Amino acid sequence: MGNESKYRKIFRSFQEDIEKNVLKEGEKLPAEGKIMEIYGASRDTVRKALNLLEYNGYIQKARGKAAVVLPRGQYNFPISEITSFQELNQMMGMGAETEVENLGIVTDKKQIRELFGRDMDGEVFELIRIRSVDGERIILDKDYFKRSVVPNLPLSVCRKSVYEYLEKDLQLKIGYAAKEITVQMATEEDRKFLDMAPYDMVVVVKSYTYLASNELFQFTESRHRPDKFRFVDLAKRKL
């Protein structure tokens, strides 16, 4: 904590008050000027702390108004970033757990081309994982990796962070992803692997992830129970 930056100290202070219910749902935070006075911080530092609180789903800000404490139990899922579930878990302190349901190799050419395009040739890894938060299974992740790019995928890695393995061990340079978000009726597979009651819909995020060299190497279908996440992005007006 001694080397922690001031804006993070402010963030941690408000985070603790919100999680301990000292600051309750719907309650307003002090004005920026008051927070500056309390912590002896600049306006820029205070705004960085408030932005971090908003990013992590603790508060909602509005121009010219005091920030308000949001209901707990939902997490912001940044759709404009390539963020692994493990990184999201660490960033938001969800205490989530990962269960590997299947790790195998797909050789069926028709299935592979449906995932990666008709020009794709070669085998792919299939990784199916279930994500639990607060003891409830709420996300079904289905990942497919080209074996020409990812020749080996250890089970121990799949239980932790695949992206950490890809970037640190395999030295891959991940570039960008194209994402599609839809809301669909829950399938039998969803009901089998997720704690769906009382929900009958899932939010489906499909991602095509490319290396910095522009090669498509991963396809992901992530199926979310609809109550735990807000899918957020930063939009700018085109001038």
Side-chain angles (χ1 to χ4, degrees):
M1 290 289 291
N3 295 325
E4 190 174 37
S5 59
K6 181 165 284 189
Y7 83 90
R8 284 196 170 272
K9 289 180 180 178
I10 298 171
F11 164 77
R12 298 291 181 198
S13 177
F14 280 112
Q15 178 190 42
E16 184 175 334
D17 283 349
I18 293 170
E19 292 185 346
K20 291 183 176 179
N21 215 30
V22 175
L23 284 170
K24 297 176 174 58
E25 175 185 333
E27 191 170 342
K28 294 180 179 178
L29 267 61
E32 286 185 3
K34 185 65 176 177
I35 299 174
M36 291 167 59
E37 181 182 326
I38 293 170
Y39 291 95
S42 67
R43 187 173 299 277
D44 181 61
T45 297
V46 169
R47 286 181 174 172
K48 285 175 72 175
L50 294 178
N51 287 340
L52 193 58
L53 285 165
E54 183 177 44
Y55 182 83
N56 283 279
Y58 288 101
I59 65 171
Q60 182 173 2
K61 298 192 304 175
R63 185 181 295 274
K65 296 181 181 179
V68 176
V69 177
L70 289 170
R72 297 300 297 141
Q74 283 193 325
Y75 303 94
N76 283 353
F77 203 111
I79 60 173
S80 59
E81 300 175 9
I82 301 176
T83 305
S84 72
F85 187 81
Q86 182 68 15
E87 291 168 338
L88 196 67
N89 183 31
Q90 292 174 348
M91 187 166 51
M92 297 189 179
M94 295 186 293
E97 296 181 352
T98 294
E99 176 186 348
V100 177
E101 175 61 30
N102 183 61
L103 174 61
I105 296 173
V106 178
T107 59
D108 182 82
K109 290 186 177 181
K110 181 179 179 181
Q111 182 183 358
I112 292 170
R113 288 173 181 175
E114 285 175 352
L115 294 169
F116 287 92
R118 60 187 178 184
D119 295 330
M120 168 63 184
D121 196 14
E123 299 175 343
V124 301
F125 276 112
E126 177 185 60
L127 171 61
I128 299 177
R129 292 177 289 183
I130 301 165
R131 316 289 197 171
S132 299
V133 176
D134 298 329
E136 292 186 289
R137 298 174 300 168
I138 61 170
I139 301 176
L140 174 61
D141 275 338
K142 298 190 286 185
D143 290 289
Y144 299 87
F145 300 91
K146 286 184 178 180
R147 291 198 70 197
S148 59
V149 177
V150 184
N152 188 34
L153 195 56
L155 183 59
S156 59
V157 165
C158 299
R159 293 189 177 117
K160 296 178 181 179
S161 175
V162 172
Y163 270 29
E164 183 177 352
Y165 169 73
L166 297 181
E167 293 177 319
K168 292 185 177 180
D169 291 66
L170 300 188
Q171 295 291 301
L172 295 180
K173 302 295 183 184
I174 299 173
Y176 59 94
K179 298 186 181 185
E180 170 190 294
I181 301 176
T182 57
V183 178
Q184 301 178 10
M185 294 296 299
T187 64
E188 287 301 317
E189 183 182 47
D190 296 325
R191 295 186 182 91
K192 176 183 177 181
F193 291 121
L194 303 180
D195 297 320
M196 287 299 301
Y199 305 99
D200 59 3
M201 308 287 287
V202 290
V203 179
V204 180
V205 182
K206 293 183 178 180
S207 301
Y208 296 86
T209 306
Y210 295 78
L211 298 174
S213 62
N214 295 323
E215 178 181 359
L216 173 65
F217 81 100
Q218 177 189 4
F219 170 76
T220 300
E221 181 178 320
S222 189
R223 305 178 70 84
H224 301 73
R225 204 177 74 179
D227 60 316
K228 285 291 185 179
F229 292 95
R230 290 182 296 267
F231 294 86
V232 297
D233 193 6
L234 177 64
K236 295 182 180 181
R237 179 169 172 78
K238 186 176 181 180
L239 300 178

